Amino acid sequence: MIYLDNSATTRVDEDVINIMNLYHSINYGNPSSLHRMGLAAEKALDTARIQLASLLGVDNKTIYFLSGGTEGNNLAISSAISKNKRLGNKLITTKIEHPSVLEVFRHFSTCGYEVCYLDVDRSGFINTNQLEEVLSEETIVVSIMKVNNEIGCIQNLKRIGEIVKKKSPQCIIHSDCVQALGKVPLKPILDGIDILTFSGHKFHGPKGSGGIYVNKELNLKTHTFGGGQERGLRSGTENVPAIVGMGMAAEIISKDFEVVTDHIKKLKSYTMELMCQQIEDIEFNSKDDDNFAPHILSVSIKDIKSEILLHLLENKDIFISSGSACSSKKKSGSHVLKSMNLSQDSIEGSLRISFSKYNNASEVEYTIMVIKEAVGSLRKYIRR
Amino acid sequence: MEKVILVRYGEIALKGLNKSFFIDMLLKNIKASLKGLNGVKLEKIQGRFIIRVALEDFDRALDLLRKVFGIVSISEAKAFPNDFEQIKRVAVNMMECINEDTTFKVEARRANKGFSLTSMEINNEVGGHLLDNNQYLKVDVKKPEVKLYIEVREKTYMYSSILQGLGGLPVGCSGKGVLMLSGGIDSPVAGYLMAKRGVEIIAVHFHSFPYTSERARDKVIKLTEIMQDYTGPIKLYIVSFTDIQQELLLSCNERYTTLLMRRIMMKIAERIAIAEEAKALISGESLAQVASQTMESLIVTDNAVELPVYRPLIGMDKNEIIDISQKIDTFETSILPYEDCCTVFVPKHPETRPKLEKILIDEQKIDIEHLIQESINTAEIITM
């Protein structure tokens, strides 16, 4: 099996599974219990918090554990808006955010808030001039993702932060960093990010784990009431095994970050090189430079409906993602690629290959060989 | 006194000498439908079935029986020995819940001529007794708001409401038919309607992986499961159609591909029908809904087979079809976005007024017999 869909989710590390088992079967206490087992669970959460905090270079009191990226984005944006609601009613985000961000803004746009969705250029980057133009003192929340999940472009958050704070010093800057953590250097303090979302299963941790970093100065109000866990921000018995697992995954990243990112960067370059040599009429939507994350490669293959290619590949036990579903009823396709102004054909022919440390060069070679063959035979039926 | 379900069958009681065949078939279908419920006992009495079922499964039984073809109506009834004093007591008891002015009527039927009172006498006596015991009741023999039914047979059955069943004929009593099941809205409805006329359904689905996904196949299996509530067990053939479609695309006139495809599907379905001793094909076509369903196109597809093709939706509008699919609960599954046919195979300008001779000439360009045999040999059969 060759798994090249690591932007969707990742394989859980062996050490992560082992430690999770321990917290499922032996140390399964509730952190709120007064006895020794409860204390052990609480200590385990502390450790995980330190592991995440040290990876992000922040104080461990700034880390809150949640159920994943979607809850993180929802909680971050709505709490930020409710905190700043007296200062104005303008919100800014981009057209290429994940649905768990876009839908939150769509909701607030029906509640009297004015939302600006920033355009992106052909490579997926926002234009800071446009940001400057739409910013005002009434702008209370800006949410811009660090790494895009479909093409991998990295927004310059440091620059964005400077522009925002200059115009609207109290504005809260949130960044969906679900695809960034473990793949690109990520220090929220250096980037000027006030709230940052992460998700465990994107970096070899378990599904159902995730959280947010919140700048110490911010005092977010909760939407979930109950036992007061996570310092009152998110009540509900902590998912201890998942959190412990995610902590372990974060620690593994801290240890071998450079080796791993270097490895996947090379795999991506190699894939692009082989595709260029072997497959005609393709167009890369991701670039091979420092402005793009090393693990995501989006490519459009001419005259191919990528969903068909996806199914042909799965038949050979190769798993990738497509930018569009093969639908005769409506024009479907990625909102990200649409925002980048790709043609409908390029969107329908777009493939996303995403790498992890578990992939290697021979997997890439085999995959490209299969794609080449599949493209050849599919084009036979399309280019009649 | 016990709670029972009274089941009435209408049309099948009229079928003269075949009557016992129909009744036994219905009884068998009811048994199959109630399989898995606790304490089920079936009793055949004159013109009725009496069903006993454990109290906790009673409502579930009522729901299931309302999906069995051949049942005209059902009632939840009290059953007790033929004792006039008890009849009066139970009648008062059943009307106890009425506590505002309500008109009523007693409708007695004395099938047991050994009982001392006539139907009319029961009506009068019980009616009078009710008036004496419930101040809110008023008699209205023309348009009563409530009717109390009393059937005096070997036992007395008393009930106050009649739930409509689906009518039709017991599935299996007409013979078998092969339904072409695409996964869209229409074909499950067609299967449902023919099952209503007593046809046992065998389904065939044409799958074209990788042009359609595993999910499309899964969707058809789900639809079959939903239909089975009405049709009883369905044997599902999944026939791979990919090679045939590709061959058609490469060798034949593009304008005819859909029609040629339909013809081959019919031929395959007919082979299956013959092997299964089925006497007809069933299709969800509705006149002129799409290019392959015009009168001219239907001449072309009908010509492909010798067995009759039943098209119960032929005169229905899409909205009428949707209404039924919502009623039988297949709609939500039918509209899932997994296509039954990929856009690659849909001609840009399909023929709407085809000439049979031209199609037949085109069909000779490919080795139909070989392709049909191959796909039948590799068909997957799912018995649920």
Side-chain angles (χ1 to χ4, degrees):
Chain A
M1 186 194 84
I2 299 178
Y3 186 77
L4 289 168
D5 199 10
N6 290 283
S7 290
T9 192
T10 55
R11 176 175 147 189
V12 178
D13 283 332
E14 205 61 42
D15 287 348
V16 171
I17 295 172
N18 290 338
I19 196 158
M20 283 179 72
N21 277 340
L22 190 66
Y23 282 86
H24 272 303
S25 57
I26 296 166
N27 299 336
Y28 50 80
N30 184 329
S32 300
S33 293
L34 296 178
H35 48 63
R36 201 167 62 231
M37 276 176 80
L39 180 65
E42 194 189 318
K43 292 266 182 223
L45 293 183
D46 290 343
T47 308
R49 220 178 293 280
I50 293 166
Q51 286 163 324
L52 258 306
S54 84
L55 179 61
L56 293 171
V58 296
D59 188 303
N60 53 13
K61 287 201 178 60
T62 60
I63 302 290
Y64 296 84
F65 292 127
L66 308 168
S67 65
T70 292
E71 191 191 0
N73 286 334
N74 271 266
L75 178 69
I77 297 164
S78 27
S79 300
I81 291 173
S82 80
K83 178 165 179 66
N84 267 358
K85 65 184 172 201
R86 280 186 195 83
L87 305 173
N89 74 334
K90 293 194 173 156
L91 313 171
I92 297 176
T93 186
T94 77
K95 288 185 175 165
I96 60 165
E97 299 295 315
H98 187 269
S100 62
V101 168
L102 286 177
E103 292 303 318
V104 180
F105 280 103
R106 205 148 289 151
H107 165 72
F108 279 98
S109 72
T110 65
C111 309
Y113 289 89
E114 199 180 295
V115 184
C116 170
Y117 301 91
L118 296 174
D119 298 317
V120 295
D121 63 18
R122 193 63 197 218
S123 304
F125 296 99
I126 66 153
N127 181 337
T128 48
N129 290 334
Q130 190 194 12
L131 174 64
E132 259 169 313
E133 271 165 39
V134 299
L135 261 173
S136 80
E137 280 146 20
E138 282 94 59
T139 306
I140 55 169
V141 174
V142 172
S143 175
I144 295 176
M145 70 198 326
K146 176 92 173 171
V147 171
N148 179 269
N149 52 314
E150 292 188 29
I151 53 164
C153 54
I154 307 171
Q155 306 294 342
N156 187 343
L157 283 166
K158 186 163 189 287
R159 174 95 187 92
I160 290 168
E162 286 162 4
I163 295 170
V164 171
K165 295 284 170 162
K166 199 168 145 195
K167 191 71 161 252
S168 179
Q170 304 226 59
C171 179
I172 297 173
I173 300 176
H174 165 254
S175 181
D176 173 2
C177 292
V178 164
Q179 291 292 343
L181 198 119
K183 308 302 190 314
V184 300
L186 186 62
K187 302 283 183 244
I189 293 167
L190 292 183
D191 268 349
I193 299 171
D194 296 314
I195 312 177
L196 170 159
T197 307
F198 54 88
S199 168
H201 75 102
K202 305 288 188 185
F203 54 91
H204 307 289
K207 291 165 188 68
S209 69
I212 53 176
Y213 150 84
V214 183
N215 180 341
K216 252 191 266 180
E217 315 294 317
L218 287 178
N219 201 359
L220 294 186
K221 294 273 184 303
T222 185
H223 294 113
T224 312
F225 302 95
Q229 288 89 341
E230 293 300 298
R231 273 152 293 141
L233 190 63
R234 207 272 196 169
S235 286
T237 299
E238 301 88 340
N239 186 351
V240 179
I243 293 169
V244 167
M246 175 169 64
M248 174 62 80
E251 187 179 316
I252 295 169
I253 288 174
S254 305
K255 263 188 250 157
D256 52 16
F257 179 80
E258 258 137 58
V259 182
V260 167
T261 48
D262 189 56
H263 173 70
I264 53 182
K265 193 182 254 173
K266 279 183 182 142
L267 284 180
K268 179 176 155 185
S269 309
Y270 187 43
T271 306
M272 292 172 87
E273 190 190 316
L274 288 181
M275 284 190 109
C276 276
Q277 288 167 3
Q278 301 189 20
I279 304 164
E280 284 167 23
D281 292 333
I282 59 170
E283 200 179 344
F284 292 112
N285 306 314
S286 316
K287 293 197 174 59
D288 187 17
D289 64 32
D290 289 344
N291 294 319
F292 282 81
H295 65 303
I296 300 176
L297 174 60
S298 166
V299 56
S300 292
I301 304 178
K302 197 156 184 277
D303 291 334
I304 295 294
K305 303 239 183 272
S306 55
E307 193 194 333
I308 303 171
L309 192 53
L310 176 153
H311 296 314
L312 271 174
L313 289 172
E314 77 175 312
N315 225 14
K316 303 261 183 198
D317 274 340
I318 301 170
F319 301 94
I320 50 136
S321 210
S322 71
S324 163
C326 180
S327 173
S328 55
K329 291 203 181 78
K330 56 173 203 268
K331 291 278 174 214
S332 71
S334 138
H335 69 285
V336 175
L337 301 180
K338 271 181 198 155
S339 303
M340 288 164 59
N341 235 338
L342 260 66
S343 68
Q344 186 63 32
D345 285 347
S346 297
I347 294 171
E348 284 177 14
S350 76
L351 211 62
R352 182 187 70 185
I353 304 173
S354 49
F355 307 93
S356 82
K357 60 185 175 185
Y358 291 114
N359 296 120
N360 59 46
S362 66
E363 287 183 338
V364 165
E365 286 158 10
Y366 178 69
T367 301
I368 302 303
M369 191 189 87
V370 174
I371 293 179
K372 182 187 174 182
E373 234 176 71
V375 167
S377 77
L378 287 175
R379 277 181 177 159
K380 210 167 60 182
Y381 301 110
I382 292 159
R383 296 176 168 174
R384 279 164 287 149
Chain B
M1 192 172 59
E2 54 178 350
K3 213 163 122 177
V4 300
I5 302 171
L6 216 63
V7 173
R8 298 175 201 83
Y9 42 87
E11 190 173 4
I12 63 172
L14 304 171
K15 302 268 172 177
L17 289 175
N18 282 330
K19 190 171 154 184
S20 69
F21 166 71
F22 287 104
I23 289 175
D24 290 344
M25 186 69 85
L26 179 57
L27 208 55
K28 190 182 122 212
N29 292 351
I30 289 175
K31 255 183 214 161
S33 160
L34 300 182
K35 203 178 139 196
L37 267 51
N38 294 308
V40 178
K41 284 198 194 92
L42 280 80
E43 187 189 342
K44 218 170 13 167
I45 62 169
Q46 184 70 33
R48 304 261 191 281
F49 297 141
I50 303 296
I51 298 177
R52 292 174 174 78
V53 60
L55 219 53
E56 71 267 24
D57 284 339
F58 210 83
D59 288 351
R60 176 111 182 86
L62 290 175
D63 283 347
L64 289 169
L65 289 170
R66 296 184 77 187
K67 292 180 174 180
V68 175
F69 291 121
I71 293 179
V72 171
S73 65
I74 55 178
S75 288
E76 187 181 324
K78 298 244 162 52
F80 49 91
N82 296 336
D83 167 43
F84 193 60
E85 285 311 309
Q86 189 169 6
I87 289 177
K88 289 198 284 189
R89 270 203 311 277
V90 176
V92 171
N93 195 276
M94 279 186 74
M95 296 302 225
E96 225 169 32
C97 55
I98 291 173
N99 51 18
E100 51 187 64
D101 288 352
T102 306
T103 57
F104 84 106
K105 172 192 183 182
V106 178
E107 242 184 65
R109 185 170 158 190
R110 185 190 59 158
N112 181 346
K113 302 299 173 201
F115 193 67
S116 57
L117 285 84
T118 65
S119 301
M120 196 55 86
E121 285 165 348
I122 300 173
N123 285 347
N124 291 337
E125 290 284 325
V126 175
H129 187 69
L130 281 171
L131 287 174
D132 291 343
N133 284 278
N134 190 328
Q135 52 172 326
Y136 301 105
L137 289 173
K138 299 212 161 37
V139 174
D140 180 347
V141 288
K142 295 226 172 73
K143 267 193 165 177
E145 288 165 277
V146 175
K147 281 187 189 174
L148 184 69
Y149 300 89
I150 303 170
E151 293 187 15
V152 183
R153 298 167 177 274
E154 76 296 348
K155 275 187 175 180
T156 300
Y157 300 95
M158 196 182 296
Y159 51 92
S160 60
S161 76
I162 296 177
L163 299 170
Q164 290 307 306
L166 291 171
L169 298 171
V171 169
C173 72
S174 294
K176 296 182 195 171
V178 171
L179 168 70
M180 301 204 275
L181 186 63
S182 68
I185 295 168
D186 303 345
S187 44
V189 175
Y192 165 84
L193 290 174
M194 291 325 299
K196 181 174 169 182
R197 296 309 299 165
V199 177
E200 180 185 338
I201 304 292
I202 291 154
V204 51
H205 173 68
F206 298 95
H207 187 48
S208 41
F209 189 88
Y211 297 94
T212 58
S213 70
E214 278 297 306
R215 282 192 169 90
R217 178 182 173 280
D218 195 54
K219 171 176 156 181
V220 167
I221 293 174
K222 278 198 190 111
L223 282 173
T224 311
E225 279 168 357
I226 300 171
M227 285 170 67
Q228 289 191 125
D229 276 359
Y230 299 92
T231 62
I234 293 178
K235 189 171 178 185
L236 170 65
Y237 282 74
I238 296 182
V239 175
S240 172
F241 208 60
T242 315
D243 291 346
I244 295 172
Q245 278 179 310
Q246 291 183 342
E247 188 65 33
L248 285 173
L249 217 51
L250 287 183
S251 311
C252 301
N253 185 336
E254 193 202 351
R255 286 172 67 94
Y256 301 153
T257 47
T258 310
L259 282 169
L260 289 167
M261 198 176 87
R262 297 286 306 165
R263 280 176 61 88
I264 297 173
M265 286 179 173
M266 293 272 190
K267 284 174 192 279
I268 292 172
E270 187 181 47
R271 300 282 174 97
I272 292 171
I274 291 165
E276 293 282 353
E277 295 176 331
K279 298 180 192 74
L281 307 183
I282 302 166
S283 120
E285 285 154 317
S286 155
L287 191 63
Q289 192 186 86
V290 292
S292 65
Q293 299 176 13
T294 62
M295 290 179 95
E296 290 83 352
S297 296
L298 293 181
I299 291 177
V300 172
T301 40
D302 264 357
N303 167 274
V305 290
E306 280 173 14
L307 280 182
V309 183
Y310 294 167
R311 297 183 172 92
L313 312 185
I314 198 75
M316 283 191 185
D317 283 352
K318 195 74 187 181
N319 285 338
E320 297 172 89
I321 301 170
I322 288 174
D323 281 349
I324 301 178
S325 78
Q326 281 173 331
K327 196 181 88 188
I328 65 174
D329 237 15
T330 51
F331 184 74
E332 292 297 319
T333 307
S334 284
I335 57 169
L336 291 174
Y338 319 113
E339 302 294 317
D340 52 300
C341 173
C342 180
T343 43
V344 173
F345 295 115
V346 179
K348 283 188 193 72
H349 305 286
E351 185 60 83
T352 56
R353 307 222 176 283
K355 294 254 185 320
L356 180 59
E357 314 82 68
K358 286 189 181 172
I359 304 272
L360 290 178
I361 292 169
D362 226 53
E363 195 172 74
Q364 281 164 13
K365 293 178 185 164
I366 52 174
D367 184 357
I368 277 206
E369 185 48 38
H370 170 75
L371 289 167
I372 290 177
Q373 208 48 56
E374 188 65 17
S375 61
I376 289 178
N377 290 344
T378 57
E380 178 191 0
I381 301 170
I382 301 177
T383 317
M384 305 200 203

